[in-house]
Amino acid sequence: MNTISTMLKNTAAAYNRTSLIIRILIGLVIGAVLAILVPKATAIAILGRMFVGALKAIAPLLVFVLVISSLARGEMGFDSRFGFVIFEYMISTLLAAFVAVIYCFLFPITVTLNGEAAEAETIPSGIGEVFSNVLMGMISNPVGAIADANFIAVLFWAVIFGVIMKRVASDGTKQAFADMSDIASEAVRGIINFAPFGIMGLVFDSVSMSGLSIFTEYGKLILLLVATMATASLVINPIIVFAILRVNPYPLVLRCIKESGLTAFFTRSSAANIPVNMRLCERLGLDKDMYSVSIPLGSTINMDGAAAVITVMTLTTVRTMGISVDLPSAIILSVIATLGACGTSGVAGGSLLLIPMACSLFGIPTDISMQMVGIGFIISVIQDSVETALNSSGDVVFTATAEYRYWQKQGKSLPVFLGGTTEVDV
């Protein structure tokens, strides 16, 4: 008995030491191979359904407590640099979502959804019905909204409670919600730790039904996501920096991609990349009192990649369901994706859990939108890495931009690498 227990402990330890990316890749390959060799072994698909079901169960509660905790504990009272960097975070996230809308309209794609994914509950005919869905969805009972996964109401009540709690709640109450947020995030981490088994089941189900051609669909989706996020990183962010500083933005942007984005690509966690960003800010000559707050905050609310992922995955689901979406409705989706992205969980794949919230705008039931979440985890080996690289490098880009703008207003020269005379550790 002791021998078996030791073997199980060693196996579990080895499993947890192995990179999640490697484990997901192994699960993906095993699922595809089993679908070819034993396509009738449908019991394997249960693992995928259990994985999606677990995420479906925890997602509404996660969004609720994360948003409340974030708003209730938000700090105030910093100087204009701090307010400006928050503005940069929000505008860049919104523009990333706009880019995602444009790319989805230019390069529309569909994916194969399994099971009873038949029709949307209510197909909106235009911007009027989208507004109606939002307004009517917001006023649902908050407890029922969490139970029924009504993400519009969940987000609405979370914002209401968070704003009020910031003013009237005691520090103990705020800490209690912070603890609940940590507990919910830890639960998600636990579920995601078993993602390789869920991915194996999902891939088995997809390949046994549609063949290996399913990976062509996933490849197109990955290309669309990467193109969107690359545009945000290499076009949108530089434009924002240039509009503010009126200098060539690429020395700053490319350095942040190299020294922050590359590390974040492999860690797949903005939070884990905070120490890297702190050291980079120090070398850029920034004020520690500023970046010691803006960098951790950016890892929570600067979510360009998350907004892009939510928008692309939602519009792909909408097109797959045969729902026609006009441009004004897509812009509303961009705003919702931006607000939702700011509450994204700090764990790998956290942005995927907000897809059902965005899909609910178009009357798409949770059972269908959660299938897209499952697809998101299948492609997350690439998607989540690129998303985190964009988010984390942007934290430094916009913190530095706000600081250098302050230098200009104070009459101080910019760093040498941006055409000024101030020496920094390049």
Side-chain angles (χ1 to χ4, degrees), residues 25-72:
L25 283 172
I26 293 173
L28 191 154
V29 172
I30 293 175
V33 171
L34 289 176
I36 295 172
L37 297 179
V38 285
K40 300 298 183 181
T42 54
I44 300 173
I46 293 176
L47 293 173
R49 290 194 287 271
M50 289 178 62
F51 176 64
V52 171
L55 291 174
K56 178 181 175 181
I58 193 64
L61 180 61
L62 177 71
V63 172
F64 189 69
V65 296
L66 278 175
V67 173
I68 289 178
S69 178
S70 176
L71 290 174

Side-chain angles (χ1 to χ4, degrees), residues 319-383:
R319 185 167 293 277
T320 299
M321 298 299 296
I323 301 173
S324 178
V325 180
D326 55 23
L327 186 58
S329 298
I331 292 175
I332 293 295
L333 168 63
S334 299
V335 176
I336 293 297
T338 299
L339 296 176
C342 294
T344 297
S345 172
V347 300
S351 61
L352 300 175
L353 300 181
L354 296 178
I355 293 171
M357 177 193 70
C359 284
S360 66
L361 288 174
F362 303 97
I364 297 175
T366 307
D367 287 344
I368 295 175
S369 58
M370 289 307 296
Q371 291 185 40
M372 184 58 76
V373 174
I375 292 174
F377 275 101
I378 292 174
I379 65 174
S380 66
V381 173
I382 297 176
Q383 165 263 314

Side-chain angles (χ1 to χ4, degrees), residues 29 48 72 75 99 140 186 188 373 421:
V29 172
E75 297 293 338
V99 170
S140 298
E186 192 63 30
V188 172
V373 174
T421 59

Side-chain angles (χ1 to χ4, degrees), residues 10-20 23 192-197:
N10 291 338
T11 301
Y15 176 85
N16 290 322
R17 283 197 305 268
T18 306
S19 167
L20 181 62
R23 282 184 274 155
I192 292 176
N193 195 41
F194 290 96
F197 297 100

